[in-house]
Amino acid sequence: MKDIQGGVCAPIGFKAAGIHCGVRKNKSKKDFSLILSDVMCNAASTYTQNKVKGAPIYVTKEHLQNNEAIAVLCNSGNANTCNENGIEIANGMCDLAAKELGIDASDIIIASTGVIGLPLSLEPFETHMHELVESLNENGSSDACAGIMTTDTVQKEYAVEFELDGKTCHIGAIAKGSGMIHPNMATMLAFVTSDVAISKDMLQKVILEVVADTFNMVSVDGDTSTNDMLSVLCNGLAGNSEIDEENDDYQVFKDALMYICTCLSRGIAKDGEGATKLLTCHVKNACTTKDAKIVAKSVITSSLFKAAMFGKDANWGRILCAIGYSEANLDVDKIDVELGSVIGKFIVCQNGRGYPFDEDVALKVLSEDEVEIFIDLHDGEYAATAWGCDLTYDYVKINGDYRT
Amino acid sequence: MKDIQGGVCAPIGFKAAGIHCGVRKNKSKKDFSLILSDVMCNAASTYTQNKVKGAPIYVTKEHLQNNEAIAVLCNSGNANTCNENGIEIANGMCDLAAKELGIDASDIIIASTGVIGLPLSLEPFETHMHELVESLNENGSSDACAGIMTTDTVQKEYAVEFELDGKTCHIGAIAKGSGMIHPNMATMLAFVTSDVAISKDMLQKVILEVVADTFNMVSVDGDTSTNDMLSVLCNGLAGNSEIDEENDDYQVFKDALMYICTCLSRGIAKDGEGATKLLTCHVKNACTTKDAKIVAKSVITSSLFKAAMFGKDANWGRILCAIGYSEANLDVDKIDVELGSVIGKFIVCQNGRGYPFDEDVALKVLSEDEVEIFIDLHDGEYAATAWGCDLTYDYVKINGDYRT
């Protein structure tokens, strides 16, 4: 498996585009994106668990009842959520694209991201649908990625190449994240394309397995959005024999998808609103996987710990505190904690007690833009990893006046 | 019932003191406090639910097994938590006070607050115990309050007078809060004194009832501290006939205690680290009390909503979002939301949909330092209130470098 360029257009038979249609006021910001496969795809999605859901979520769920899709349509700047006529607008967007593309509206995955509760008109989409479709091309992934961004500061776009059944296969992806990122799907927008042939059942299975260890282990601010989802489209054009059971090919595809989704998750966490650094928390030797996940997420979610990391302050008491108020089963007196980065790592806590460390070394280690927390619970054999970011002045600034 | 001065010394037979002993480096900051009753008190406490607990928590639990206490001893600047010899130090502090006061060490409630995992020496307490005891006086509540503060910016000190059984009775209290304030006891330090005569059983019952609707409904940052607790001491010197069942007198005492604990809870939330405003979220017509509490706490805890309130931005979509990701049972399409302050209030959401409002009016209302959120779920008859604060630059600043 190797990293390649091309994002969602890296797999065979995918085109993409992203343009400015006017939902966002700033004309230099793209706000309308399309991804299209040459042929029908098997498709699967996971959705936000928020009880308040954006209208596009309902429409996409309806469209994916047959687990097939050929295109993804998405706008940024307006979440089309808590609007009187949200469903009508989401359906209208699909109808416009279907007409222009000569496809069925029910084969479109529709998504929106941005402000909640702001009326959304069809007008900008009507005016610009032709232009969007005309812009579709095999190098369009980066434009499509730009069109789904909100407060993101960097594009999250990845692709890999691997071999299955003697055939060269690809997975590509784009994602937007930033605020409202918290464990429990689907806390961002991520669109994944592949030319692998895989059955609908196996695709549904693999997406759930991968999301549990990737997107659901990311937290930026503890808020779960109303609109976010992950969709995977597989068009089978790589020519491998279809994966229809949990065989070796399934494992190869799962590993590649896990890698791509881990890249997206790390990218989303590192580009959390206002973040200056990526925090990765590794928990090992927990008595169950669930306990390992609870501990890793609790640490990565603590506002006090996140603020300390912004301040490059090795205030490990806050790690112990966050472990302690989690619901995990553990023995406090067995806990070891190390902090590290590319420079090296140092022990801060052994058997639940403070362990002397050099403050100068600590400052250097914590000044890096990727910091790791290693927690050994000495209580079993299960492990988990969670990703988050520091809490900064800019998070407050960005969210103190998001609408204007 | 009327508000009075005097804090924990307002009830008959209580003295208090607070001095600088040297745990905190800044000599102008008091860091060592004592509250003493003339006679033995019936006492009850609730403690942090964090699995990592400060050593003083273990020692106080041991001392309160007989539900009796005569004094409260507390230092700030060091939490005496995750230390090798924490229990020894906490016991040593009690022994020093017991010797100086001529009381039994097991009749002392001991508490510490400050940095976790920093070795704590008995030396400053040995050197200053005599001075602390000498300083005890009937106007010492304010000094004692100062001695338990950490990043608090204002003293939280309240007292009320009421009548029971023809006798004038009092409840007084001091508290420290600020960071690490989150639902589920005991998320701060609060010491409550009273001259009411009440049985141990009734005192234990009333404290649990009151805490559920007050301290457990406060959130500053979602972190639950390792050390915090609420202790109530009742010495019976008011001369009322002892409350030993849930009669009218019990209700009068409960109302007064509820009032005092509501004042403390509001005070703690308003003085949350870096906070510029108090947020009070009222939820009504929920199908159960639990659902009402879950919704109120979810809104008050949302980082995105808290940041919007700092920015005086009526971004009500974040309220709907926080309601939606809570675990409460509700019907999204029935939700009404209003925002208000002393200036007035305005509707932002009706039946789960946006409701037009005047942005100028909204800005004025949200510029006040106490903002209220009114949520009507139209789904039952139960209500709850939660208190929190906005998320500000200063929260990040305070916690980015707490140890130095």
Side-chain angles (χ1 to χ4, degrees), chain A residues 7-239:
Chain A
V8 288
C9 296
I12 302 165
F14 284 94
K15 296 186 185 71
I19 62 168
H20 175 79
C21 76
V23 178
R24 297 182 73 163
K25 290 169 196 162
N26 184 335
K27 287 188 181 171
S28 70
K29 300 268 189 186
K30 293 184 167 56
D31 55 10
F32 197 26
S33 296
L34 180 63
I35 303 169
L36 181 70
S37 168
D38 291 347
V39 299
M40 190 61 68
C41 302
N42 284 347
S45 279
T46 57
Y47 307 94
T48 182
Q49 290 176 6
N50 198 312
K51 278 183 278 290
V52 178
K53 290 179 176 59
I57 297 281
Y58 293 104
V59 173
T60 295
K61 276 190 179 173
E62 179 73 25
H63 288 183
L64 283 186
Q65 278 187 345
N66 65 350
N67 297 109
E68 291 182 2
I70 195 166
V72 177
L73 184 67
C74 179
N75 75 279
S76 59
N78 186 317
N80 192 18
T81 300
C82 298
N83 289 329
E84 198 58 58
N85 62 344
I87 300 286
E88 193 184 312
I89 295 291
N91 278 321
M93 290 170 70
C94 291
D95 289 341
L96 287 168
K99 193 175 165 195
E100 190 71 33
L101 291 165
I103 61 173
D104 197 306
S106 69
D107 291 327
I108 299 174
I109 290 169
I110 177 83
S112 296
T113 176
V115 183
I116 297 172
L118 198 67
L120 179 61
S121 154
L122 266 186
E123 191 275 328
F125 309 121
E126 275 169 346
T127 315
H128 292 85
M129 189 60 79
H130 181 71
E131 178 191 345
L132 182 66
V133 170
E134 284 295 304
S135 306
L136 280 170
N137 74 89
E138 287 172 1
N139 299 308
S141 179
S142 174
D143 286 343
C145 190
I148 67 172
M149 287 163 68
T150 54
T151 52
D152 303 65
T153 64
V154 297
Q155 295 201 359
K156 270 78 75 176
E157 191 183 16
Y158 301 91
V160 289
E161 185 178 294
F162 54 99
E163 200 166 292
L164 261 188
D165 200 17
K167 310 288 183 183
T168 302
C169 299
H170 310 83
I171 298 178
I174 58 174
K176 62 94 28 182
S178 245
M180 282 199 188
I181 306 298
H182 190 60
N184 285 329
M185 205 65 241
T187 52
M188 36 76 253
L189 289 180
F191 303 123
V192 180
T193 58
S194 179
D195 41 25
V196 163
I198 181 169
S199 72
K200 292 171 180 177
D201 285 353
M202 288 297 104
L203 182 57
Q204 187 63 39
K205 184 175 174 53
V206 76
I207 192 175
L208 293 178
E209 288 185 1
V210 167
V211 162
D213 286 337
T214 56
F215 293 109
N216 282 356
M217 296 303 289
V218 175
S219 178
V220 166
D221 59 12
D223 279 49
T224 303
S225 169
T226 54
N227 283 55
D228 298 345
M229 67 176 180
L230 163 70
S231 295
V232 183
L233 289 84
C234 294
N235 67 11
L237 292 180

Side-chain angles (χ1 to χ4, degrees), chain B residues 56-93:
Chain B
I57 298 281
Y58 293 103
V59 173
T60 295
K61 275 190 178 172
E62 179 74 26
H63 288 183
L64 283 185
Q65 279 188 345
N66 65 351
N67 298 110
E68 291 182 2
I70 196 167
V72 177
L73 184 67
C74 179
N75 74 280
S76 58
N78 186 316
N80 192 18
T81 301
C82 297
N83 288 328
E84 199 57 59
N85 62 345
I87 300 285
E88 193 184 312
I89 296 292
N91 279 322
M93 289 170 70

Side-chain angles (χ1 to χ4, degrees), chain B residues 95-155:
Chain B
D95 289 342
L96 287 169
K99 193 174 164 195
E100 189 70 35
L101 290 164
I103 61 173
D104 196 308
S106 69
D107 292 327
I108 298 174
I109 289 169
I110 177 86
S112 296
T113 177
V115 182
I116 297 172
L118 198 67
L120 178 61
S121 153
L122 267 186
E123 190 275 329
F125 310 122
E126 276 170 344
T127 316
H128 291 85
M129 188 62 78
H130 181 71
E131 178 191 344
L132 181 66
V133 171
E134 284 295 302
S135 305
L136 281 169
N137 73 90
E138 287 172 1
N139 298 308
S141 178
S142 175
D143 287 342
C145 190
I148 67 173
M149 286 163 69
T150 54
T151 53
D152 304 65
T153 65
V154 296
Q155 295 201 359

Side-chain angles (χ1 to χ4, degrees), chain B residues 1-240:
Chain B
M1 184 166 63
K2 68 174 184 190
D3 291 301
I4 56 170
Q5 298 297 308
V8 288
C9 297
I12 302 165
F14 284 94
K15 295 187 186 69
I19 62 167
H20 175 80
C21 76
V23 177
R24 299 183 72 163
K25 290 169 196 163
N26 185 335
K27 288 189 180 174
S28 70
K29 300 268 191 187
K30 292 184 167 58
D31 55 11
F32 197 27
S33 296
L34 180 63
I35 303 169
L36 181 71
S37 168
D38 290 346
V39 298
M40 190 60 70
C41 302
N42 284 346
S45 279
T46 58
Y47 306 94
T48 183
Q49 291 177 5
N50 198 311
K51 279 184 277 291
V52 179
K53 290 178 175 61
I57 298 281
Y58 293 103
V59 173
T60 295
K61 275 190 178 172
E62 179 74 26
H63 288 183
L64 283 185
Q65 279 188 345
N66 65 351
N67 298 110
E68 291 182 2
I70 196 167
V72 177
L73 184 67
C74 179
N75 74 280
S76 58
N78 186 316
N80 192 18
T81 301
C82 297
N83 288 328
E84 199 57 59
N85 62 345
I87 300 285
E88 193 184 312
I89 296 292
N91 279 322
M93 289 170 70
C94 291
D95 289 342
L96 287 169
K99 193 174 164 195
E100 189 70 35
L101 290 164
I103 61 173
D104 196 308
S106 69
D107 292 327
I108 298 174
I109 289 169
I110 177 86
S112 296
T113 177
V115 182
I116 297 172
L118 198 67
L120 178 61
S121 153
L122 267 186
E123 190 275 329
F125 310 122
E126 276 170 344
T127 316
H128 291 85
M129 188 62 78
H130 181 71
E131 178 191 344
L132 181 66
V133 171
E134 284 295 302
S135 305
L136 281 169
N137 73 90
E138 287 172 1
N139 298 308
S141 178
S142 175
D143 287 342
C145 190
I148 67 173
M149 286 163 69
T150 54
T151 53
D152 304 65
T153 65
V154 296
Q155 295 201 359
K156 271 78 75 176
E157 190 182 18
Y158 302 91
V160 289
E161 185 177 294
F162 53 100
E163 201 165 288
L164 261 186
D165 200 19
K167 309 288 181 182
T168 302
C169 299
H170 310 84
I171 299 178
I174 58 174
K176 63 89 39 179
S178 243
M180 282 199 188
I181 306 299
H182 191 60
N184 285 329
M185 203 64 238
T187 53
M188 34 79 253
L189 289 180
F191 304 122
V192 180
T193 57
S194 178
D195 42 25
V196 163
I198 181 169
S199 73
K200 292 170 181 178
D201 285 353
M202 288 298 103
L203 182 57
Q204 188 62 38
K205 183 174 174 54
V206 77
I207 192 175
L208 293 178
E209 288 184 1
V210 167
V211 162
D213 286 337
T214 56
F215 293 108
N216 283 356
M217 294 304 289
V218 176
S219 179
V220 165
D221 58 13
D223 280 48
T224 303
S225 169
T226 53
N227 283 55
D228 298 344
M229 67 176 180
L230 163 70
S231 296
V232 183
L233 290 85
C234 295
N235 67 12
L237 293 180
N240 64 303

